[in-house]
Amino acid sequence: LPEELLSVINSKKEEPFNLTYSNNTYTYIVICSGRQNRDDVGVVVDKMYMDENAIYIESVLRQTATPSDAVSKDTVSYPRTTTPVVFKN
């Protein structure tokens, strides 16, 4: 990811947010769930579609590990998903 985008993500990551960021190559769609007091969850894209006006992403915060995976409940995480989109003429 571009350094500028990573900087924005890191500055906002404590709270849930959605944003788009564009450069000469991609438009990035970022969905962040904010601070989570566990490390066994992630943002999962359930559906993505486009019409003539916008791109839509339906996502959920979902458990990504099982108790047998030895995850720590004392760990903080900032789950997010970043989707790069290329527009072609």
Side-chain angles (χ1 to χ4, degrees):
L1 296 177
E3 288 298 321
E4 183 178 15
L5 176 55
L6 286 172
S7 177
V8 171
I9 291 170
N10 286 331
S11 71
K12 297 172 69 75
K13 70 182 181 182
E14 289 291 328
E15 299 295 327
F17 69 90
N18 302 327
L19 69 82
T20 58
Y21 171 90
S22 295
N23 61 17
N24 293 334
T25 310
Y26 297 104
T27 293
Y28 298 91
I29 303 169
V30 180
I31 302 168
C32 181
S33 66
R35 179 188 174 104
Q36 301 296 313
N37 292 324
R38 52 195 285 180
D39 67 353
D40 65 340
V41 292
V43 176
V44 178
V45 174
D46 277 345
K47 186 192 276 187
M48 180 175 171
Y49 55 96
M50 182 174 145
D51 67 17
E52 63 275 354
N53 296 316
I55 296 173
Y56 303 91
I57 296 179
E58 294 179 15
S59 64
V60 294
L61 185 64
R62 188 169 289 151
Q63 185 172 350
T64 58
T66 63
S68 63
D69 291 334
V71 295
S72 171
K73 298 290 187 213
D74 298 327
T75 303
V76 172
S77 65
Y78 304 89
R80 67 173 165 85
T81 186
T82 304
T83 306
V85 179
V86 178
F87 292 100
K88 295 184 179 184
N89 294 337

